[in-house]
Structures are given as C-alpha cells and as structure tokens.
Amino acid sequence: MSLYLYELVPTGAATRTLEELGARAEKEGGGLIEAQVTAGATRIFAITEFASCRAPELPAADLLADSVDGPHEVRLVGTDVATLEAARPTAGYLVEWDIPAEIDMDTYLARKKANAPKYADVPEVSFLRTYVREDTAKCLCFYDAPDEAAVRRARDAVSTPVDRLHELTDPRI
C-alpha cells in the first residue's frame, strides 16, 4: 500500500472538494485516508492510499478545485495507517517544512528519531504524526496544541524550522 498527498485549493466548500476527491480515489482503486483543511478553508491537505497502482493525476476542475498539487508519494511517521484510522486524533495545527536538499530520507528519519524525545520539553503540545514526501521536498507535521506559539516552541525544542504554519478547521466548512 502506498500513500499519496494531494494539496488542493477548493473553489467553494471544502466538503464538496473532499467528496469529489474521495469518489475519484475510490473509482481509481484507492481511498481517502485523511484530509485536513486550513482555517478559512483555503487549502486542503489530503492523504490517499492506493494498493495496486500509482495515484492518478486528478484535474482540478473534476475536484471542484482551483489547483491540485500532487499526487506526491509520502511516508507516514509517528504512527501507522491502522492506528490513525482507529483513533482519528484531532490535529489543530499543521506545520510544513521545506526540507533542505542535502537531507535525504535516511538522514531525515534518523534526525526525527533522535529529536522526538525533546517534545517532552513542551508538554502542552502533542506531536501526532508526520507525512514526509518520498522525494524529501517537504514534510507535513500535525500537532494538537493550545495555540500557534506552543507549536513554535515544540518546533524549537526539536530544532526544526517552520516554513508555513496552518491552523486547521473542520472540513465541513
């Protein structure tokens, strides 16, 4: 099973875009694993899973979106799909980090493993999971936290920058 990231800018209601993405993924032999919507519903980060094929390119117009970036194959770090689907932990914030070119996947994973215990220094923040693109262009890290400042403290604790920080909202908006 392979996971793929689609980043979408919806033309209208995020719910409609997600419904279309889910339907297209199923039609193509896959499924929608999770979707996170930024506050104001200006951007959707959707993770799909395809068992026997590569995720298809999906035209923005078919998904009721202004744009679609992806599919990009990703690796889930910090949990597994079965646990994620069973628990459905709520993420309040998403951090995007554009990984420097000199960091390959092995280096990224070793760094992540070494730094993860440092999250304990910021107990008000729960690190939930990361999706790192297989091309290591960037990663998406999900947190449950009281506010943006707490997320930034957690990132400082693990010595990892924030390129973009998004508050997340209910996708039914």
Side-chain angles (χ1 to χ4, degrees):
M1 298 277 210
S2 295
L3 299 177
Y4 294 89
L5 166 67
Y6 290 90
E7 296 182 43
L8 306 102
V9 175
T11 56
T15 306
R16 294 274 316 190
T17 299
L18 287 171
E19 288 169 356
E20 292 300 322
L21 176 61
R24 282 299 301 270
E26 285 184 26
K27 181 180 175 186
E28 299 289 337
L32 182 61
I33 298 299
E34 90 167 289
Q36 298 291 337
V37 179
T38 61
T42 58
R43 195 160 189 82
I44 299 170
F45 296 88
I47 304 296
T48 58
E49 184 174 45
F50 288 85
S52 61
C53 62
R54 179 162 172 19
E57 301 283 333
L58 299 173
D62 292 356
L63 300 176
L64 307 174
D66 284 331
S67 67
V68 176
D69 182 17
H72 299 286
E73 191 169 6
V74 293
R75 188 177 303 193
L76 178 58
V77 179
T79 191
D80 58 50
V81 172
T83 302
L84 176 64
E85 289 179 325
R88 296 283 178 206
T90 303
Y93 294 91
L94 162 67
V95 171
E96 292 183 79
W97 177 38
D98 300 327
I99 302 170
E102 64 272 10
I103 297 179
D104 63 10
M105 184 63 78
D106 290 337
T107 303
Y108 173 84
L109 293 173
R111 185 178 190 277
K112 184 88 170 161
K113 184 177 181 179
N115 285 333
K118 297 174 186 174
Y119 280 125
D121 294 342
V122 190
E124 67 272 26
V125 176
S126 295
F127 163 73
L128 300 173
R129 62 194 166 279
T130 292
Y131 293 98
V132 59
R133 282 182 32 177
E134 289 290 345
D135 63 6
T136 64
K138 74 173 173 178
C139 66
L140 308 176
C141 299
F142 294 89
Y143 297 90
D144 184 21
D147 53 39
E148 274 190 31
V151 174
R152 290 185 186 282
R153 286 192 305 277
R155 297 297 284 191
D156 288 343
V158 295
S159 304
T160 306
V162 172
D163 286 312
R164 289 165 300 286
L165 175 59
H166 307 279
E167 185 173 0
L168 300 174
T169 189
D170 187 324
R172 292 172 291 196
I173 292 175

